[in-house]
Amino acid sequence: MDQNLFSRRSFLAGSASLAALAAAKPGRAAAADSTITVVQPWEFRSLDPSVNAFVFGRAGITETLVLSAPDGRIEPGLAESWAVSGEGTVWRFRLREGATFHDGTAVTPLAVQASFERQLPNAQYLGTTGIVAIEAEGRDVVFRLREPFGPFLSYLLDRSLPVLAASSFDAAGGVREPVGTGPFRLVDADLPRGLTLARHAAYWGGEPGFAKAQYDAVPNGETRTNIAAAADADLVLNIPFQSVGRVERARAMRLDRVIIPRVHLLVPDCGKPQFADVRTRRALSLAIDRDGIAASIMRNPALAATQYMPPSLPLWHRADLAPHRQDVEQANRLLDEAGWARGADGIRARDGVRFAGAVRTFANRPELPVIATALQSQFRAVGFDLSIQVGEWQAIVEGREDGTLDLGLTSSNLTIVPDPIAKLSVEYTRDEVSGAVDTSPINWRSDEMRRDVATYLSSGDEAERTLCRERIAGVLQRELPVIPIVWYEEITAVADRIQGFVMDPFEQRLLRREISSQA
Amino acid sequence: MTPIGRIVTGRLAQALLTAWVLATVCFAMVHALPGDTALRIAEARVGHDRMTADITDRIRAETGLDRPLALQYAAWMGRLATGDLGRSLVTGRPVAEELADRGRYTLSLGLVGWCLAYALALPLGLYAGFRPGSLVDRATTLVAVGLASLPTFLVGVGLISLFAVALNWLPPAGYRTTAHMVLPAVTLALGLAAYSVRIVRAAVVEVRTAFFMTFARIKGLDAVTAFRRHGLRNAAIPVTTFAALQFAYMIDGFVIVETLFNYPGIGDLLVKSLLARDVPVIMGAGLAVGFLYAVVNLIADLLCLKLDPRRAARGLR
């Protein structure tokens, strides 16, 4: 009978075989105790630190003369000590004895000088410090500056300029691969997906707790969440806050949360009539329910940005500042005073100008469009009609250049170097702000802030710098050239076997000396 | 020239022309998009946080994006004439290297998923075709319709939840070991099999009801022999065409599966290159995908000719 050609039994047997075949492979090779596996969202686009700036420093491949601690303090790195003289124009660094590059060559003053000189043209922030000469003198490396530069140590932590061995460079002077001095050396690079590192046995700070480190780039947040839920790595960085519950329910890894120096903010064009008067910016700020946005969208009430600088920047965060808070009545009063009268539709207008605008934002940070929607409803309560345009972040830059931007909703990393002054001096004190930046104020100027930033940059007196910081934070709070909404937290899933992990809010180094694996 | 030789030559010429047109359309469309290409390239290189105007201007000058479009296109054509697809504007690597690197992952995963799909679809489709209306036929219809209507990412998430998170048998994402290929391959296979099982079944049912099969049975052949001798080839023609189409469809990658499982394929490369406006990679990929698509279809046609030599005389109609 033809129906017997394929029996039901043979199908069941076939299906069982396929299932067995699929199950036969072990799920994941258990990593040897001496290997730490790290999953991160950032791809490894290049082996050149001036391009892929913070990846190599964070992985512990490269470092420089100083290091930064998780609390922001500057610590000795390749330099064991330093001194400043010549009224702040001469910075002398005494090199640590016995430090070696990953290729075995010694870290000598000449090698450090050569490394800085080769890379300085590409340095983003260190290049702005006015270095006129770098010299090797005995055990010291000396930087001579055109004029005093107070935060020079922080600028040295510009991650686009680590100390590299001569063997890092090709004949044309470009970086072939980063041969650094950090606790891990690069063994294999599978660009842009992963890096394999091995312990630098001669590391000056003592051998790291792991013989190998495997870094994998997983840009998709949901995929990282799956990896954390399955505990398929030792550290999974940047767990999306929307997925925290899933990782917690899986109970396969614990979560480490730290507020980092990043702020989501609204950038109004202060040249437009709706935002030119500081009272309207204050009114919009008073309309924002930051606690609600932090609790319901960011899932952490502590992220409500009561001021521009988050508490993870203790030198800049001012506990004495009157916090940004929601007060719709006060907002309406301010707008009435400023002459913005409500129309029949509840939206205000003045001199024929409607109190309205479009906010441009982007979905790479999925919370931003949601925050925009919350702002839309909160602004309506004070008579502002907000429309939302979600696209690429570049649309904010392009809009500010062609004058079509009303408001941008974006995210700002405050510590490309550990001192936010680097960001402020570039974005808040120049008439011609870089045309590629979407986080700086638009058509806003404060001479007070310019003076304080200039004083801060040139002063070596900590008391004077403290006063500058306080005044700058005050201007930002009062003038609201940008309106901070929420700070941001870095959420890391940590395997149970990993001990001593501390997330560095400045994102300078991931695997610090204290980290180890449980026996 | 033999009829087959004429077909192959004609199709290869068509393939080259299609690939060139596709690459040119890619070039035109990318440049027709609003916005500054150099800004996007710069962001893809250094990241959003480190963007400055200096970096953008430097990239604009060094990549030649400030030249007129006609010159940029002519430069690309000139390089292409020497077999050079150029370099990625983001990574600086040769485009051919980028495509080969990603292509091997896409092709290996695609091949495994495709084979697995037909390992499921052929026996199930044949069985259902031989027993239309049976429990297995109805069950495969139900499952196939269900799988075809489910978005691929849901199937993938379901498999990850079960095999990676709950049972911990397989890794949830990655590409380094064979085990990493299992879940994405099964996700792909289930999506492909949902359609192919119905095609196989329909082909078998159609052939079994054909007059020549009745004649074969009247001649005294048993059902199995009649199908093996006279039915199999006829049923295989539509299945081969459909299977080739499914395989060709996979050449340009399967973005959802690659993203969900962090599998580094062509689809992932294309999406990232489009977002970054990495024109040489987009054009190179357009060229390669267009050509491979045509080649796979040519192979399918040749297989169909082998199955039914009468088609050669009709010019593959």
Side-chain angles (χ1 to χ4, degrees):
Chain A
M1 212 165 105
D2 58 0
Q3 277 85 347
N4 289 337
L5 184 61
F6 298 98
S7 73
R8 191 172 287 141
R9 187 176 297 171
S10 63
F11 278 109
L12 290 173
S15 310
S17 308
L18 280 171
L21 185 70
K25 294 279 176 194
R28 56 197 158 93
D33 281 348
S34 58
T35 299
I36 185 164
T37 52
V38 180
V39 166
Q40 63 172 43
W42 310 284
E43 291 194 326
F44 307 95
R45 290 269 172 205
S46 164
L47 289 179
D48 182 350
S50 73
V51 175
N52 229 170
F54 78 114
V55 168
F56 302 111
R58 185 175 188 146
I61 298 170
T62 58
E63 56 189 5
T64 186
L65 298 173
V66 291
L67 297 173
S68 81
D71 61 4
R73 278 179 299 107
I74 305 289
E75 296 177 330
L78 287 172
E80 60 183 19
S81 63
W82 54 86
V84 60
S85 61
E87 296 182 335
T89 58
V90 180
W91 289 80
R92 180 176 295 274
F93 294 86
R94 171 63 48 95
L95 288 193
R96 196 177 285 286
E97 280 189 286
T100 59
F101 290 107
H102 296 156
D103 61 3
T105 55
V107 179
T108 62
L110 276 173
V112 173
Q113 177 197 4
S115 170
F116 274 105
E117 285 178 346
R118 280 184 143 156
Q119 299 176 84
L120 203 54
N122 292 330
Q124 203 172 352
Y125 287 98
L126 193 62
T128 66
T129 58
I131 296 173
V132 289
I134 304 169
E135 293 160 2
E137 290 180 6
R139 277 177 61 198
D140 298 345
V141 177
V142 181
F143 292 83
R144 297 190 189 280
L145 312 183
R146 193 176 302 114
E147 46 196 39
F149 196 85
F152 186 69
L153 292 177
S154 287
Y155 277 60
L156 264 183
L157 283 159
D158 179 347
R159 285 171 285 191
S160 64
L161 208 163
V163 174
L164 296 178
S167 59
S168 305
F169 302 93
D170 57 27
V175 177
R176 194 177 54 231
E177 63 172 287
V179 180
T181 57
F184 289 95
R185 64 185 165 81
L186 183 64
V187 173
D188 184 45
D190 181 14
L191 302 181
R193 299 173 286 268
L195 296 181
T196 305
L197 315 182
R199 177 157 56 197
H200 176 33
Y203 183 56
W204 59 264
E207 280 199 9
F210 299 91
K212 278 179 71 182
Q214 178 67 54
Y215 283 75
D216 282 329
V218 179
N220 184 269
E222 281 309 302
T223 306
R224 289 197 304 281
T225 304
N226 290 334
I227 292 171
D232 201 39
D234 290 316
L235 297 175
V236 183
L237 308 187
N238 218 307
I239 298 288
F241 45 82
Q242 309 91 321
S243 308
V244 162
R246 200 145 70 82
V247 178
E248 283 175 341
R249 281 193 299 279
R251 295 184 182 180
M253 297 179 90
R254 66 182 190 275
L255 292 175
D256 177 276
R257 306 173 79 142
V258 63
I259 298 179
I260 61 171
R262 174 180 284 284
V263 61
H264 288 356
L265 42 81
L266 206 52
V267 185
D269 181 348
C270 299
K272 295 205 166 169
Q274 306 96 304
F275 315 111
D277 186 337
V278 69
R279 286 176 294 184
T280 59
R281 302 200 296 272
R282 278 190 208 141
L284 290 178
S285 177
L286 284 164
I288 299 172
D289 178 10
R290 293 178 174 82
D291 292 329
I293 291 172
S296 60
I297 300 177
M298 307 297 286
R299 318 280 169 94
N300 182 354
L303 296 178
T306 53
Q307 56 184 284
Y308 183 80
M309 301 287 182
S312 49
L313 292 169
L315 293 177
W316 285 88
H317 181 83
R318 278 181 59 184
D320 62 323
L321 278 180
H324 294 312
R325 60 186 167 74
Q326 188 182 32
D327 186 340
V328 176
E329 269 182 41
Q330 169 72 0
N332 279 317
R333 247 193 324 272
L334 278 172
L335 291 170
D336 291 341
E337 273 173 34
W340 291 92
R342 277 194 193 264
D345 59 354
I347 302 303
R348 294 172 184 271
R350 190 184 70 182
D351 302 332
V353 177
R354 199 170 144 81
F355 197 42
V359 63
R360 290 189 190 180
T361 191
F362 49 96
N364 289 32
R365 294 190 172 273
E367 67 275 18
L368 290 180
V370 188
I371 291 175
T373 310
L375 293 178
Q376 188 176 44
S377 110
Q378 289 163 16
F379 283 179
R380 184 159 275 276
V382 297
F384 186 90
D385 184 16
L386 184 73
S387 54
I388 300 170
Q389 297 171 354
V390 180
E392 299 171 285
W393 73 267
Q394 290 92 342
I396 299 176
V397 175
E398 285 154 0
R400 60 190 293 161
E401 285 188 345
D402 64 20
T404 56
L405 181 76
D406 297 324
L407 296 135
L409 175 61
T410 184
S411 180
S412 181
N413 178 348
L414 305 178
T415 53
I416 298 293
V417 302
D419 192 329
I421 197 71
K423 183 99 179 163
L424 295 172
S425 65
V426 170
E427 296 190 3
Y428 287 71
T429 65
R430 296 182 184 172
D431 291 329
E432 286 296 320
V433 173
S434 157
V437 172
D438 61 338
T439 52
S440 63
I442 312 169
N443 294 317
W444 174 85
R445 179 191 168 104
S446 162
D447 292 332
E448 182 187 355
M449 186 155 178
R450 289 182 184 215
R451 271 195 308 276
D452 284 323
V453 168
T455 307
Y456 186 94
L457 289 175
S458 61
S459 173
D461 177 4
E462 189 46 40
E464 187 176 31
R465 282 149 53 94
T466 302
L467 279 176
C468 291
R469 278 194 292 263
E470 287 177 3
R471 285 197 295 264
I472 291 169
V475 170
L476 289 170
Q477 195 79 350
R478 223 172 34 244
E479 298 265 328
L480 286 167
V482 297
I483 303 172
I485 298 167
V486 280
W487 298 313
Y488 193 80
E489 68 176 339
E490 175 79 42
I491 305 172
T492 307
V494 185
D496 288 340
R497 77 181 187 107
I498 299 298
Q499 304 294 308
F501 174 76
V502 177
M503 187 67 203
D504 174 5
F506 296 90
E507 304 179 78
Q508 288 280 332
R509 172 147 319 165
L510 186 68
L511 306 179
R512 296 182 58 80
R513 206 172 304 161
E514 298 79 14
I515 191 170
S516 64
S517 70
Q518 209 170 31
Chain B
M1 196 182 275
T2 62
I4 289 185
R6 273 199 305 276
I7 289 168
V8 171
T9 314
R11 283 299 178 87
L12 281 176
Q14 268 180 24
L16 287 171
L17 188 68
T18 308
W20 170 70
V21 169
L22 197 58
T24 305
V25 168
C26 287
F27 178 84
M29 288 181 78
V30 171
H31 284 288
L33 289 171
D36 183 0
T37 301
L39 188 62
R40 283 152 181 87
I41 298 286
E43 193 259 348
R45 276 199 201 177
V46 305
H48 178 209
D49 288 344
R50 296 186 67 90
M51 286 293 295
T52 65
D54 294 345
I55 292 175
T56 310
D57 291 342
R58 199 173 69 217
I59 285 171
R60 198 189 318 279
E62 88 184 31
T63 54
L65 286 167
D66 50 355
R67 291 175 302 168
L69 283 186
L71 273 185
Q72 292 182 43
Y73 182 71
W76 182 77
M77 283 300 290
R79 275 198 308 270
L80 188 64
T82 65
D84 179 8
L85 291 176
R87 285 179 177 269
S88 160
L89 300 180
V90 174
T91 64
R93 290 173 74 197
V95 171
E97 211 176 275
E98 293 265 15
L99 292 175
D101 177 39
R102 299 301 190 99
R104 69 193 159 106
Y105 286 108
T106 291
L107 285 181
S108 55
L109 177 59
L111 196 63
V112 172
W114 184 82
C115 288
L116 199 54
Y118 280 89
L120 286 169
L122 283 174
L124 283 171
L126 282 169
Y127 186 89
F130 268 81
R131 287 182 164 183
S134 67
L135 183 66
V136 171
D137 183 28
R138 279 178 283 147
T140 51
T141 305
L142 188 71
V143 174
V145 169
L147 282 173
S149 55
L150 271 180
T152 311
F153 78 90
L154 268 186
V155 176
V157 166
L159 291 173
I160 290 170
S161 302
L162 179 63
F163 293 107
V165 178
L167 299 172
N168 218 359
W169 287 356
L170 291 161
Y175 61 95
R176 285 201 166 82
T177 66
T178 315
H180 285 112
M181 199 190 265
V182 176
L183 288 183
V186 172
T187 306
L188 265 184
L190 291 176
L192 296 176
Y195 295 96
S196 45
V197 72
R198 303 307 300 161
I199 293 288
V200 174
R201 178 203 178 271
V204 171
V205 167
E206 191 183 332
V207 163
R208 288 189 65 236
T209 54
F211 175 73
F212 60 82
M213 288 294 288
T214 312
F215 181 73
R217 294 297 305 278
I218 292 168
K219 221 166 58 173
L221 295 177
D222 63 78
V224 175
T225 312
F227 186 75
R228 199 186 306 129
R229 283 193 192 165
H230 304 289
L232 205 53
R233 272 183 168 230
N234 286 295
I237 292 170
V239 175
T240 304
T241 308
F242 187 75
L245 273 175
Q246 281 193 319
F247 190 75
Y249 169 74
M250 292 197 298
I251 290 171
D252 61 353
F254 8 82
V255 179
I256 302 289
V257 173
E258 287 171 1
T259 305
L260 186 63
F261 292 97
N262 200 44
Y263 202 84
I266 291 266
D268 177 60
L269 176 71
L270 260 176
V271 168
K272 283 179 182 148
S273 302
L274 277 168
L275 289 175
R277 311 260 178 104
D278 194 348
V279 187
V281 175
I282 298 167
M283 291 176 74
L287 200 70
V289 166
F291 185 71
L292 282 175
Y293 199 93
V295 167
V296 169
N297 276 310
L298 174 62
I299 292 170
D301 285 345
L302 293 176
L303 280 174
C304 289
L305 271 181
K306 179 83 180 157
L307 290 167
D308 183 4
R310 293 170 301 174
R311 291 157 65 97
R314 300 199 303 260
L316 267 183
R317 280 189 299 274

